[in-house]
Structure formats: structure tokens, C-alpha cells
Amino acid sequence: MTLPLSGPAYQQAVERAHGELATLTSSAGGGLGQLRGEVAESWRRSLVVLGGPAGRREPRMVSDDALRDVRQEHPLSPVLPIIRRLLVDPAQDAGLIVALGNAEGQLLWVEGDPVARRRAEDMGFLPGADWSEASMGTSAPGVALYSGRPVQVSRAEHFHPVVHPWSCSAVPLRDPADGRIVGVIDLTGGDEAISPLALPLLSAAAEAVHSAWRDHALPAPVALPPLEPDAGRETLMRVTGGLPPRLSGPGGALSEVSGKHAEILTLLDWHGSGLDGAELEDLLYGHQAGTTLRAEMHRLRRFLATTLPSVSIRSRPYRLDGPLVTDAVLARVALRRGEVGAALSQAAGPVLPRSVAPGITEIRRQLEADLRESVLENAGIEDLWSFAGRPEAAGDLEVWMTALQLLPGDSPRRSLAVSAVERLQAEET
């Protein structure tokens, strides 16, 4: 039986959507209606980071020495025999590849059918390659790491054309102690990689890995900062809410940060593994002509040297070095850990609400969507009520309906919730 994701009609629709990408901008919402929701959202994020399907011809790579160090330190290393027995051996017999990656999307091991592995190397699918969304756009490992959910991506659903002959399924791996994402398992090949058995097989292997980890405390991954800025990172940059962006440390406020400087620091903190010059320029300016990133980076480095000398910006790629974290990233970390209240506390409102930079607009949209989804699915009435009081939720009928359902019958808040629901329902008619 033809699989829906690999069926000719759907694949033709996806190919047509690829043809429309050239006319879309990073903020465009149209043109992708024929795609599955999670794929369309990933394409929009990929447009912001990569600019277009040919925006990056090959993935970012780490050196052999760096790959060796990451492998030795990663908790996947001691459970490799489990994964090889449950996944790699069956995959090899079926002509498939199993890839294991860390939380940043770097592939640490790629094993399985030798012929398929050699073919995959031609598109950069090999150990040391970065297959996060920020590096290669939509793929099962990248989307699974971003969303925290099992994912299947078929052929043309991949953002980059070089990956269109392939299909893949992936599941994230979590620390059993706190739920944080520490890696990903991916199955790549032909249509067999997205068969109805693929995700159950991956999920069973992931559960076996989680079981092996339960008796051992896993080390915190480098890319995920702690929830409190003084627990490892001393300076917090507040970029959410209505106030101007500002730095604050254990001793109190340090200074306000100008708009363009705040945008750059927010982008570099959000994309923790780094951005090359072209990527950062696109995220800041989009397709504006006459922009000079180099001059702006020079001014920002002078500002940091004067105001926050413990923080610097490294090059190739551009990335933060030093004790700085934004409240937007802390909110994202909290959401990944399932701590909705902490996320609401960290994110006081929209990210840099006055910014029109394409990359900031996308971060703002992503964080608002993730907060809303977590609040609706997991929050108690206090967190839900707190979210409902935000300006961005004032016109959200679903939020107010959910609050009305959770409020006790004798709660004095019910009258306000009823009023909001009636007003919003009247506006819809």
C-alpha cells in the first residue's frame, strides 16, 4: 500500500510548494497550505535561517578532534551496544541508516547499510555534520530536536533539494531525570524509513536507552544554559516585554542595550552553535540593500568591551563567548523541561516587540507559539490565568475558554472570563 507521506499526489503538491518558495519571504504565511503543519512551520523557520532551499549547500562540520571529544563525553557512548542491537543491525538488513546526534544536531555516529551510507555522505550526512534546522533546514533530526516530538519527513518535504531522494524518521532522547533533550535517533533511507513500523521501532529503542540512563545522572549539555543566570552565567539580558532591552547582573542593572545590538546578541544566544556572516546578515536585515554587518559588529564589540568585558563575540562562525544569556533562551529551556511557570516568569512578553528584523520576528513567533501551546496543554489555572492577562492573549478565545473551564464555579474570576469569552465570540460573528 502506498504510504500517504510518500504518495505521488502529496509529493507533487510538496514539489509545487518548493517552486513557490522563491516568492516567499521569511514572514510570509501563504504558499505552504498544502504541506503538513509541522513541515510548513519548519520550512518557515528554515526560510529565516537559510533564506531559501539552496541557501546552504552542505552542513556545517566539526573537526575530527572535536568530534572525538564530543563522542567521549556524550551519554550515548555507553549505550551504543543497545542501539546497535535494536536498530543498527535490523536497519543494515533493510538497506537503512541509523544516525545518532547530540542536542545541537551534530551527528555523532552514522551506521547501517554501507551502500546507503556512501550515498548519504554525498549530501553531507556523516559523523561530525550539523543537521539542525539552522544548518540544513527541515529534516527529521532537525525538526525532532526543535519540537521535542517524534517526526517523519518524506522526500520533497526536506527543505534542501539535495535531500529529496531520502526519507527519514527521528525521535528525541531525553534525560529521564529532568526531561531535557540530550540527543536524537534518526532512521534514514527510502520510503521504508517512514513506514508505519519506523516510529514504534525508534521509540522502543529510545525507551531502552532511557531505561539504561535512569540509574545514572547525565551531564548537562553545553548548549542548554541553566534557568537562573547566576548559576553559571552571571549576566542576564532581558529582551522580552515592553521595556527597552537591558543587561542585569547579580549586582543589579548594568545598562540598556541599543536596538541593533540587542538584536545581534539575541540572535547569537538563540542560535547557540553560531551563525556565519551571511546567515546573521539575513536574520538582521533580510534583503535590504546597503547594510554593513561588519561595522555593526565592530560597534557591538566596543560596547561589550566597555560595558561587559567578560563577554565577547567570536568569529567563523559568530557566537557568544562569556557569561551572557537572554531571558528568551531561559524561557525556551524552561519549556523544554516542562516548567511552564518558570517560562512565563522568564518571558515577560514578546521578544523585542519593536524589532522588525526577520530573525527576531521568527524568534518572537516561535516563543509565543510554544508558550501558548504549553499553557493550553500543561498549565494549571494560575499559570493559565497569568498568560491570559498578557496583551498577546487578549484576543485569544481558546485561552479564555480554557480558563473558564478550569476556574471553580465560585471563583470571582469567572465573571471576567465570561465577559472576555462573550466579547470575543461576538467579534467572530
Side-chain angles (χ1 to χ4, degrees), residues 338-356:
E339 299 173 2
V340 180
L344 291 172
S345 176
Q346 291 292 351
V351 177
L352 297 176
R354 296 172 182 81
S355 172
V356 295

Side-chain angles (χ1 to χ4, degrees), residues 321-337:
D321 184 13
L324 177 67
V325 66
T326 62
D327 53 357
V329 164
L330 292 179
R332 182 177 66 176
V333 173
L335 289 175
R336 288 181 177 179
R337 293 174 171 169

Side-chain angles (χ1 to χ4, degrees), residues 108-142:
L108 304 184
W109 290 273
V110 179
E111 303 183 0
D113 180 71
V115 175
R117 284 171 55 195
R118 285 194 294 271
R119 287 180 52 227
E121 288 175 359
D122 292 339
M123 65 174 178
F125 197 80
L126 71 168
D130 180 354
W131 276 75
S132 65
E133 281 190 341
S135 178
M136 285 295 284
T138 305
S139 71

Side-chain angles (χ1 to χ4, degrees), residues 225-238 248-252 322-327 330 337 346:
L227 288 179
E228 297 302 327
D230 56 355
R233 286 193 173 188
E234 300 171 355
T235 303
L236 171 68
M237 190 171 81
R238 297 197 175 276
S248 62
L324 177 67
V325 66
T326 62
D327 53 357
L330 292 179
R337 293 174 171 169
Q346 291 292 351

Side-chain angles (χ1 to χ4, degrees), residues 75-222:
L76 275 169
S77 181
V79 296
L80 280 175
I82 297 174
I83 297 172
R84 285 170 175 151
R85 174 171 53 84
L86 295 177
L87 270 182
V88 176
D89 292 346
Q92 182 162 315
D93 294 339
L96 301 173
I97 304 169
V98 173
L100 308 176
N102 62 13
E104 289 73 52
Q106 295 164 338
L107 302 183
L108 304 184
W109 290 273
V110 179
E111 303 183 0
D113 180 71
V115 175
R117 284 171 55 195
R118 285 194 294 271
R119 287 180 52 227
E121 288 175 359
D122 292 339
M123 65 174 178
F125 197 80
L126 71 168
D130 180 354
W131 276 75
S132 65
E133 281 190 341
S135 178
M136 285 295 284
T138 305
S139 71
V143 179
L145 286 171
Y146 175 84
S147 68
R149 297 188 296 268
V151 170
Q152 292 186 311
V153 176
S154 66
R155 292 195 248 164
E157 288 185 323
H158 289 94
F159 189 73
H160 201 303
V162 74
V163 200
H164 286 186
W166 302 84
S167 293
C168 50
S169 299
V171 297
L173 295 169
R174 297 179 180 273
D175 184 341
D178 56 21
R180 59 184 168 89
I181 294 176
V182 295
V184 64
I185 307 180
D186 168 83
L187 189 65
T188 289
D191 290 342
E192 298 85 355
I194 54 170
S195 75
L197 296 178
L199 282 181
L201 184 64
L202 285 170
S203 297
E207 180 52 38
V209 170
H210 294 157
S211 178
W213 282 344
R214 283 193 179 99
D215 295 332
H216 304 280
L218 302 186
V222 174

